[in-house]
Amino acid sequence: MSDQDTHLVLQRLLRLRDRREPLVAQIAEWVGAGIIEGRLEPGQDLNSVELSRRFDTSRTPVREALMLLEQEGLVEMKARRRPRVAAPSLADIRDIYQVRRHLLSMLAGLLVERADDTELAELRGRVEKMRELADAGDVDAYFWSHVQLQERMTEIAGNATLKQILDSLALRTLMLRHLSLTRPGRLAYSVDDQERLIQACEERDGELASALIAGATVRALRAVEEQIELDTASSRRPARKRRSVA
């Protein structure tokens, strides 16, 4: 997936086309992509001065961009403290995935009912390209391709209310979805899940399609939980004591 495609996804989800200030949109997109792809980690400070220098601007557009990301749950801004990357609790993450699992199950059922053969062939082609990216180990390209795959599925399903709800959760889940794909072996498992889902849709088995996408969502949550546990254990591990020189 190209940088332009990534730009279009974030532009739509952040509603950046509605922003009159192009610099605010540019900053929000750069910071948002960094958070989602893990270059900016949960809890990490976002230095307004450094961002101002990077984009050769005053701190006002930076603050507006961070406030925009705060509204979407990606950034935390508290009085007398630096803005920082949001760090959702494990309880919050589980709640998000519980809701997402039910929504995606509904999406799969609608897809079976409403997708025609041409649309299913298009989805099959997308998944075949994702297989190539998974085999190459390209996490970022696979991730954004997966995002676009699900967006296309939602369009085909044709339920505007479902799409609106999924969009409202999208930015809060993208960081977690990317994190789950960084676990060893997850790319292969993920693309296998997508292939089975498309096959179930082609066979017009709505019950199976719903079960498959629900199972894939549960496995993604487990991968996130495992990574968070590893990160927590690593942060708590005491530093080795240096041996004194006799």
Side-chain angles (χ1 to χ4, degrees), residues 203-223:
E203 294 170 356
R204 302 298 175 180
D205 191 334
E207 186 175 343
L208 177 58
S210 294
L212 286 170
I213 205 166
T217 306
V218 170
R219 283 188 288 278
L221 171 59
R222 287 175 182 162

Side-chain angles (χ1 to χ4, degrees), residues 157-243:
N159 186 310
T161 301
L162 177 60
K163 186 177 189 304
Q164 184 178 14
I165 297 171
L166 282 170
D167 279 353
S168 71
L169 286 173
L171 285 165
R172 297 171 189 267
T173 60
L174 288 181
M175 174 180 68
L176 301 172
R177 289 168 65 186
H178 187 279
L179 178 64
S180 76
L181 291 173
T182 62
R183 297 284 298 146
R186 274 294 298 156
L187 285 180
Y189 282 122
S190 176
V191 76
D192 285 347
D193 286 335
Q194 305 315 309
E195 289 178 343
R196 284 192 289 265
L197 172 61
I198 296 302
Q199 183 175 347
C201 291
E202 291 168 340
E203 294 170 356
R204 302 298 175 180
D205 191 334
E207 186 175 343
L208 177 58
S210 294
L212 286 170
I213 205 166
T217 306
V218 170
R219 283 188 288 278
L221 171 59
R222 287 175 182 162
V224 171
E225 290 173 333
E226 290 170 1
Q227 189 59 50
I228 290 174
E229 288 173 2
L230 283 174
D231 292 343
T232 301
S234 177
S235 65
R236 290 176 178 173
R237 190 177 297 125
R240 289 184 179 181
K241 293 182 180 181
R242 294 183 178 179
R243 294 183 180 180

Side-chain angles (χ1 to χ4, degrees), residues 34-94:
I35 292 171
I36 290 166
E37 294 180 352
R39 294 189 299 276
L40 301 173
E41 299 179 352
Q44 181 176 336
D45 284 345
L46 297 168
N47 191 318
S48 298
V49 175
E50 290 180 1
L51 287 170
S52 298
R53 289 173 181 162
R54 171 179 285 274
F55 290 95
D56 191 23
T57 184
S58 68
R59 294 173 67 178
T60 299
V62 172
R63 181 168 181 80
E64 289 183 17
L66 295 181
M67 289 174 66
L68 175 62
L69 294 171
E70 181 189 30
Q71 294 170 9
E72 301 297 338
L74 294 181
V75 168
E76 295 177 357
M77 299 179 70
K78 296 182 179 180
R80 295 181 295 279
R81 292 184 60 181
R82 278 184 178 175
R84 66 177 188 175
V85 177
S89 69
L90 196 52
D92 288 340
I93 292 169
R94 287 169 176 156

Side-chain angles (χ1 to χ4, degrees), residues 76-114:
E76 295 177 357
M77 299 179 70
K78 296 182 179 180
R80 295 181 295 279
R81 292 184 60 181
R82 278 184 178 175
R84 66 177 188 175
V85 177
S89 69
L90 196 52
D92 288 340
I93 292 169
R94 287 169 176 156
D95 286 347
I96 289 170
Y97 269 87
Q98 182 180 41
V99 172
R100 183 171 168 77
R101 175 167 57 86
H102 289 291
L103 293 174
L104 291 178
S105 293
M106 183 184 299
L107 171 63
L110 289 172
L111 198 62
V112 169
E113 291 177 14
R114 300 180 178 179

